[in-house]
Structure formats: C-alpha cells, structure tokens
Amino acid sequence: MPSEKILEQKKQQVAELSAALKESCTGVIVNYKGINVADDTKLRKQLREAGSTYKVVKNTMLKRALADAGITGLDDVLEGTTAIAYNKDDYVVSAKILSEYAEKSKTFELKAGFVDGNVLDAAGVKELANLPPKEVLVAKALGGLNAPITGFVTVLNGTIKGLVVALNAIAEKQGAEA
C-alpha cells in the first residue's frame, strides 16, 4: 500500500490535471507505444509551440481527472500506454499535429478525444484534424456575412445607374426639341 505522502502527491497531480482539462476546449488521447525519444521530443516541441500541453499519464490518474472535469465516456480507451494533448484556445491544432504523426507511424495511434466536454472517437479526432485553421473559418464566415451586403450594394448601383441613364435620355430629348 502506498504511503500517505505518495497518495497526496497523486491526488495533487490528479487535481492539477483535472483543472487543466476543465479549462481546455479540446483534448486528444493517444497510444504513444513505439515512439522513440527523438520523435517524442520533436512532437512535444511542435505541440508546445502550438500552445498545447502534452503529457504521458497513468490510465487510472487520467480516468479520475476526466471524471473530476466532467468528461465521461473515455474509460474504455484508457488501456495500454496513454498520453494526452490538450489546448485551451485552439480546437484543431492538437488533433492536427497528432493525426499527422499517427499517419506516419505504424505504432502511434489516436485513441479518442473531447471537444468542450463532448467525447470523440478516433474517427472524430481525424475529422477534427481535417478542419481548416480558425482564421480560415472566421474569414469564410465573414465572407458569407459580407456577400448579401455586397449584393445589395450592387443592386442599388444598378438602380441608380438606370435612373441616371433615363434622366440623361430625357435631358437629351428635351435639348433636341429646343
């Protein structure tokens, strides 16, 4: 049986992980089996530069932290070697980086993930990875909002242009009569 000191340390680690998961908008759980140190270092650096946190976690500790964070439905994937990457700001970046690495590796695999507390399976994580970056999505949304306004301005310009042409024709006709 573990000592009280070790139990307290583990409780503290679970509490810290749980708090981080509550603040995160997305998380990806992977099986990191077979990754070598050089690739792991490169992968961690990529994730850190993208604003994600990547940790190797014991399954029981992650199970408790997920439960404390209110994320349920991931217990069945918490077997074998497990690591989690989570991000507070970007919904796509962790999934994108880990999915790219999983495609290159034969042993590294995506297990599952979550977005705003909703559980995703491995296929859902791959779909999330295929989404364009946030900036592109915002630009598309703004373009969609801008399109009706542009159309309205074009219609108004056409109406005004038609009025100007009609007035010009009337002026020319009256000038020719005089």
Side-chain angles (χ1 to χ4, degrees):
M1 180 152 174
S3 70
E4 283 295 318
K5 185 177 180 182
I6 292 173
L7 269 173
E8 282 303 314
Q9 288 175 344
K10 287 183 178 183
K11 285 180 183 178
Q12 180 66 27
Q13 289 173 344
V14 168
E16 289 172 3
L17 183 57
S18 176
L21 293 176
K22 283 179 187 175
E23 294 176 3
S24 299
C25 60
T26 185
V28 180
I29 299 172
V30 297
N31 178 355
Y32 66 91
K33 184 178 181 184
I35 188 171
N36 61 38
V37 175
D39 288 343
D40 185 53
T41 304
K42 228 187 302 186
L43 185 64
R44 285 175 186 268
K45 182 180 180 200
Q46 268 186 304
L47 288 163
R48 188 173 43 255
E49 287 173 351
S52 295
T53 303
Y54 178 79
K55 290 184 177 184
V56 173
V57 187
K58 288 187 174 188
N59 291 322
T60 54
M61 292 176 74
L62 183 56
K63 192 179 293 188
R64 288 190 175 135
L66 287 167
D68 289 350
I71 303 166
T72 58
L74 291 172
D75 292 350
D76 56 328
V77 298
L78 298 178
E79 296 175 358
T81 56
T82 303
I84 185 167
Y86 50 91
N87 194 304
K88 295 178 183 179
D89 302 318
D90 195 326
Y91 285 86
V92 179
V93 72
S94 297
K96 193 174 289 283
I97 292 170
L98 293 172
S99 183
E100 286 174 6
Y101 186 80
E103 287 176 12
K104 296 175 191 173
S105 175
K106 294 178 182 174
T107 56
F108 190 91
E109 65 178 338
L110 301 172
K111 288 184 176 184
F114 64 89
V115 175
D116 290 332
N118 299 319
V119 175
L120 301 173
D121 60 355
V125 173
K126 286 180 184 176
E127 286 180 34
L128 183 65
N130 291 331
L131 285 176
K134 182 180 179 180
E135 294 79 19
V136 173
L137 291 173
V138 169
K140 285 183 178 182
L142 290 176
L145 292 173
N146 197 21
I149 296 168
T150 304
F152 183 65
V153 168
T154 304
V155 168
L156 287 178
N157 272 343
T159 305
I160 292 171
K161 185 177 179 182
L163 178 65
V164 168
V165 168
L167 289 174
N168 193 24
I170 292 170
E172 286 178 5
K173 184 177 176 185
Q174 286 179 351
E177 290 176 0

